Amino acid sequence: EGRVLQWYGSELIRRTAGEKEALKLQPFVLSTCNRFKRLDHIRETPVPEVEVKEGQLPPVVFGDFLKVFGTSESRASYDGLATAFTVDCSPNILRFVRTAAHIVRPGGVWVNFGPLAYDTEHDEGHGHGVELSWEELRYAISHFFDVTEEKFVDSLQASNWESMMQIQYSCIYFRAVRNSTESTGIGAR
């Protein structure tokens, strides 16, 4: 996910907000529709919810997953991969699965949470991305991982819980353990 504003927001919190409720954000200040009460949109949201000590958060890599991790140096370099609201953002979901398999060591774990909304803008010069069902995606994942847990969970995405309008997804949560099948074609350039 290469959205610059998301990067700035998360880095602001990661770098400056170690103390509980150090920042008071007003994320809904421009959302004046669908309010129950007159002042709903200007309420503060303190972050972080808990104290975050320096070095407590894992490193985060921002950028296009396929480009950042599709290198020979990334091969089998991680014990685990956590993805949230990410899988359906890739213009090439099958390459995403192969890249995940490329970077996770055999025996490592991939956990995911998110919808299969496929609502990103793809490069029209290369056509639309493939939009797989969970059944089809699970089949692709099972070539490189053993899916040990899966369930659907309803989730609100970036929603104002005090709004009259909500966006709810039925998200797939899965936990999968990397097998030893090679992920060919990734990092070969």
Side-chain angles (χ1 to χ4, degrees):
E1 187 75 35
R3 297 181 182 156
V4 176
L5 289 177
Q6 289 178 343
W7 180 82
Y8 282 129
S10 63
E11 281 303 293
L12 171 71
I13 293 169
R14 289 175 61 83
R15 295 179 187 204
T16 65
E19 182 181 322
K20 180 181 177 179
E21 299 182 353
L23 301 173
K24 308 285 193 235
L25 306 180
Q26 291 177 293
F28 310 109
V29 74
L30 299 177
S31 302
T32 58
C33 295
N34 294 305
R35 294 177 292 150
F36 286 108
K37 298 177 187 165
R38 183 174 57 89
L39 300 177
D40 280 352
H41 68 297
I42 60 170
R43 74 180 184 284
E44 292 181 342
T45 302
V47 292
E49 296 173 327
V50 296
E51 181 181 356
V52 180
K53 295 182 175 129
E54 188 161 340
Q56 186 177 7
L57 296 174
V60 174
V61 178
F62 292 94
D64 182 325
F65 181 77
L66 302 180
K67 290 179 183 170
V68 172
F69 295 106
T71 65
S72 58
E73 298 82 27
S74 296
R75 186 176 186 277
S77 57
Y78 293 92
D79 292 320
L81 171 64
T83 52
F85 284 82
T86 304
V87 172
D88 61 338
C89 293
S90 177
N92 187 332
I93 188 71
L94 298 175
R95 188 166 181 89
F96 189 99
V97 170
R98 287 188 7 248
T99 302
H102 173 73
I103 68 170
V104 177
R105 293 181 183 102
V109 176
W110 178 13
V111 293
N112 175 76
F113 181 83
L116 297 178
Y118 301 106
D119 57 357
T120 61
E121 295 180 24
H122 301 291
D123 180 358
E124 294 298 326
H126 294 94
H128 292 285
V130 177
E131 298 178 352
L132 301 179
S133 67
W134 167 239
E135 177 184 39
E136 295 164 322
L137 179 58
R138 188 186 195 290
Y139 181 77
I141 292 169
S142 70
H143 286 290
F144 306 105
F145 294 87
D146 298 320
V147 178
T148 59
E149 188 178 350
E150 64 184 280
K151 62 183 170 183
F152 290 95
V153 180
D154 289 338
S155 175
L156 299 177
Q157 183 197 19
S159 284
N160 179 352
W161 61 91
E162 292 184 19
S163 172
M164 295 168 67
M165 185 176 114
Q166 304 291 327
I167 298 172
Q168 180 173 313
Y169 289 104
S170 183
C171 295
I172 181 66
Y173 162 80
F174 68 81
R175 179 184 186 279
V177 178
R178 180 73 169 96
N179 62 31
S180 58
T181 303
E182 282 290 318
S183 177
T184 59
I186 305 295
R189 295 186 233 183

